[in-house]
Amino acid sequence: MSERLERSMYSFVLRYSRRQQLYILIFVVLSWPIGFMLLDLPKQIINRALGAAQDVYSLALLGAVEIPLAVSQPTFLLALCLLFLSLVALNNGLKFHINTTKGRTAERLLRRLRYALFSRVLRFPIPHFKRASQGEVISMITAESEPIGAFFVGAVVDPIFQGGLLLVALGFIVVQDPMLGAAAAAFYPLQIYVVPRLQKKVSVLGKARLRQIRHLSDHVGETVGGIVDIHANDTSNLELTRFADRLGAIYNIRFEIFQRKFMIKFINNFLDKLAPFLFYLFGGLLVIKGSLDIGQLVAVLGAHREMSAPWKAMLNWYQQQADARVKYDQVVSQFDVSGMLDDTLQHANPEEGFQFEGDIELSNVSLLDEDEVRRLANLNIKLPIDGNLAVAGAGSSGKEYFGMLLARLETPSSGQLMVAGRNIVELPQSVTGRKMTYVSSSPFLQSATVRDNLLYGLKYRPLRPATYDDDEVPKRQRDLLEAAGAGNIDFDYRADWIDYEAAGVSDPAELFVRIIQILDVIELSDDIYGLGLRGTIDPDVRGDIATAVLKARGGLADKLEEEEYRGLVEKFDRATYNTNASVAENLLFGTTVGDAFNHNLMAENAYVLEVLREADLIDEMLKAGREVAETMIEIFADLPPGHEFFEQYSFISSEDLPEFKTLLSRTDKYGSEDMRPEDRAALLSLPFKLVTAQHRLGIVDEALQQKILKAREIFAEKLPEDLKGAVEFFDPEGYNAAGSLQDNILLGKLVYGQAGAGKRIGALIADTLDNLGLRGAVLEAGLEFQVGVGGARLSSGQRQKVGLARALLKQSDMIVLSESTSALDPSAQDRLAANILKARDGQGVVWIVNRVSMASKFDRVIVLDDGRVAEDGTYVELDKDGTALRGLLESA
């Protein structure tokens, strides 16, 4: 399923597009005689159709065959013009077909190249990623391959096509007059000699530019990954200087490339204009002498103009070829890594009848890392696949390499590692990746939902086809055929890939139950529950959850009427002003979707301003804004910048206070219409943030509240069609698709100033959901939470728990856990270890422990020291004075 990467770019092109190139060349050859006729017909029109009248006219085909035509002169003229028009249409049709076929072929080659590169990334030996720059790999597969793909368009056809056009035009000139033909061709040998020599230096500079750009990409990647430490160490100036230094190196290289490229263009353009000079001079003399007629000279000049375009295209092709060849050679060399996983091992299915059982046996196994440093030495260990083992050791003991070795993420440098009677290096990934599971301290999480990441280990291949509409089926079939034609894997990404059997279930309903059980084992249920309450769902997709939430809303509303909870929540009601919500929330009476009605930008929104004018609110809002600004200046003017009160109470930052002082002075005597737009927007923005119950400034009084309610009705009634999707209105009977589950259940705001209101209402919501049997619905919503890039929206402990849950859900015969709970507190680590061992009873567990005391829970303990087995036995046997295990415990 992986593509072979040819060392030569042209070997790659011809290997995978030979038939298409030959097909295109057929049409290229067909276009040449048409091109000759298009050059010759204008001469025939001038000399024959517009010359003296004749009884019989003749049409010359390709300058050789004469066809007599007994027609009138106007008819002959019309025939030549129609023939010219027909050939123009036919020529353009051929070019269109040639170009579209070239484009399709080039895109297939580029797709094949990128697929081959990415497939190699998946087969790189794991240690290689310690040296390889992520930014460089990304750049090579994406940006650097793009110009290679652009050259693929005409890699073979363009020089033949353009060269043919050049020869056709040159041949036509020779037919008219050999001397003029010689003059037309006189300077091409000089250009052919000079240009490659100048281009050779450009190619060398191109390689240097590529290297510098990769370093730049790597620097950007390092900066993004280490942004916290950059801020913590105040090294932004150092990084900016380093970045500027790289930019300077790229600038110098690119400037020299530009100079040399433009020198090439200067030489070409100068020599190109010498030929017309000779035509005008010597062609004019031949016309004066009568050796050449004016029609022939006009045709020669036209033919020479036609020579210019293909010659320039050929020179451009040569420069692109040199640039693409440099990029291809460098890209391919970077992906030619020794020790890659064999392609057949990556895609082969397990041998029929193979049973993953028995023992894992290491016989004199040693491991050297990428720097030839010995990490493991002469290990002789035998452990049952269904047993449990703790591996302890200091940081340099080699224990992490031992875990990777068992999971075939590292291969022995010497010795043998036998699994179920087979050498591990001979087993395909369909065995090692399904029968064994490895969980590191930093598990890989995709930028997807929690559910998608939990199910990732169950997706080996598509097991059930996707369902498509009748209109989609043909397109999907074409897509899959195109993928196969480009050498890509022809599986359907939209199919159902989940292996329910591997999880020990038979359908999605049972799988969900199994997921909940595992979340309880690794103590992640409450986290997912919280994510569910804060998360959103699409009611059109998950109507069952939306219905359940509305049911919970009704149950909560009844509870809120009880004495214990009365007065803790102010419900949203279209007819009343919610004093615990901001002015912006009261005006919109809904949840914003996107940035159209961003609360911080309400004062700049054209439709909001239109609503305020119609409700006669502009002046009152400006007055309110002025009062807010004056109050904030009076209260906070003497507080130091950064004081916590600015964050808690002020609508104006400490940096903006002086500006607002100046603004108030500047606008003191102006009405709303006379203010500068930016001043009016600044003042209008302040009252939108006011929460009456919280801020208690007395600014949003009863009269202003009633006007805001009037504006609310205007806003909803006249909302333009193009903005209707920008706000999801509150509806007591409907589900708010833009709001969280908790907001939908509450449909109101917590009353400000009530001690412990948030905790009490949170507990009430949880009790209500549990009593209604809706906890599962919330957990389902939590599983739809988007974890962000690399799981960035989860804590490090949550990411580790997701990795553990994924491993347990997979139910492989053996799991290898390498410090997989290191981000958790010690008590949580102990609980999870006990839970996992209980859940995996009778199934293999190898745990590389980060805390030595965790080893007490395991049947067997191995202590590594400097890559060698220092001790091997039970915890009780090894926990004695003078043992390596006791030493590790005492040093912890």
Side-chain angles (χ1 to χ4, degrees), residues 526-547:
D526 289 343
D527 298 72
I528 300 300
Y529 185 83
L531 294 177
L533 285 177
R534 298 195 302 273
T536 61
I537 61 155
D538 184 345
D540 294 331
V541 177
R542 297 308 307 266
D544 55 336
I545 296 181
T547 302

Side-chain angles (χ1 to χ4, degrees), residues 222 353 356 369 405 411 452-453 506 568 675 696 782 793 807:
E222 285 183 356
F356 195 83
D369 68 9
L405 195 69
T411 55
D452 289 333
N453 279 287
S506 58
L568 295 182
M675 289 184 190
R696 303 182 183 277
R793 297 183 67 193

Side-chain angles (χ1 to χ4, degrees), residues 7 95 118 132 201 204 214 217 255 358 393 504 542 619 866:
R7 296 295 302 176
K95 286 183 178 180
F118 185 72
K201 179 59 177 176
V204 172
R214 285 179 189 163
S217 176
F255 184 71
R542 297 308 307 266
D619 287 338
D866 195 24

Side-chain angles (χ1 to χ4, degrees), residues 606-619:
Y607 178 66
V608 170
L609 293 176
E610 181 184 326
V611 169
L612 295 180
R613 288 191 189 93
E614 187 166 343
D616 196 24
L617 265 173
I618 289 288
D619 287 338

Side-chain angles (χ1 to χ4, degrees), residues 1 115 122 346-347 349 434 446 452 454-468 476 480 488-503 508 511 810:
M1 295 202 184
Y115 180 84
L122 296 179
Q346 188 173 55
H347 299 291
N349 289 318
R434 300 178 196 179
Q446 288 186 312
D452 289 333
L454 290 176
L455 300 179
Y456 187 75
L458 300 176
K459 298 179 179 181
Y460 314 127
R461 63 191 183 283
L463 298 175
R464 288 160 294 277
T467 302
Y468 294 102
R476 190 59 196 155
L480 294 177
N488 293 186
I489 194 169
D490 57 354
F491 290 162
D492 187 354
Y493 184 70
R494 296 171 182 80
D496 186 356
W497 289 64
I498 300 172
D499 187 347
Y500 296 102
E501 184 180 347
L511 181 62
K810 188 174 173 181

Side-chain angles (χ1 to χ4, degrees), residues 159-309:
I160 299 175
F161 178 56
Q162 301 296 344
L165 292 179
L166 182 67
L167 291 176
V168 166
L170 183 59
F172 177 80
I173 296 174
V174 171
V175 169
Q176 311 310 310
D177 186 273
M179 290 297 295
L180 292 179
F187 299 105
Y188 289 128
L190 179 60
Q191 290 171 283
I192 292 172
Y193 176 81
V194 172
V195 169
R197 282 156 177 77
L198 293 175
Q199 184 62 44
K200 186 175 181 180
K201 179 59 177 176
V202 172
S203 298
V204 172
L205 291 169
K207 289 182 179 180
R209 181 178 63 88
L210 268 181
R211 287 193 296 271
Q212 290 295 334
I213 289 176
R214 285 179 189 163
H215 293 327
L216 187 74
S217 176
D218 188 31
H219 183 198
V220 173
E222 285 183 356
T223 301
V224 173
I227 192 66
V228 172
D229 292 290
I230 291 172
H231 286 300
N233 292 285
D234 187 28
T235 54
S236 57
N237 288 331
L238 176 67
E239 295 302 328
L240 286 170
T241 305
R242 180 181 167 200
F243 190 76
D245 188 63
R246 295 197 186 282
L247 290 178
I250 294 172
Y251 169 82
N252 291 332
I253 293 171
R254 289 179 67 89
F255 184 71
E256 188 172 353
I257 288 174
F258 291 152
Q259 284 184 309
R260 292 180 179 275
K261 281 190 173 181
F262 291 140
M263 176 58 69
I264 294 172
K265 287 187 177 182
F266 168 78
I267 293 172
N268 288 331
N269 289 334
F270 177 76
L271 295 177
D272 186 54
K273 295 298 183 266
L274 282 180
F277 164 77
L278 297 176
F279 291 154
Y280 288 124
L281 177 60
F282 296 109
L285 292 174
L286 291 174
V287 170
I288 292 172
K289 293 180 178 179
S291 302
L292 191 71
D293 60 58
I294 191 66
Q296 287 176 305
L297 181 58
V298 170
V300 165
L301 291 170
H304 184 263
R305 281 196 300 271
E306 294 297 323
M307 290 174 64
S308 178

Side-chain angles (χ1 to χ4, degrees), residues 113-125:
L113 175 63
R114 282 176 167 159
Y115 180 84
L117 295 175
F118 185 72
S119 69
R120 287 194 163 216
V121 172
L122 296 179
R123 295 191 289 120
F124 282 172

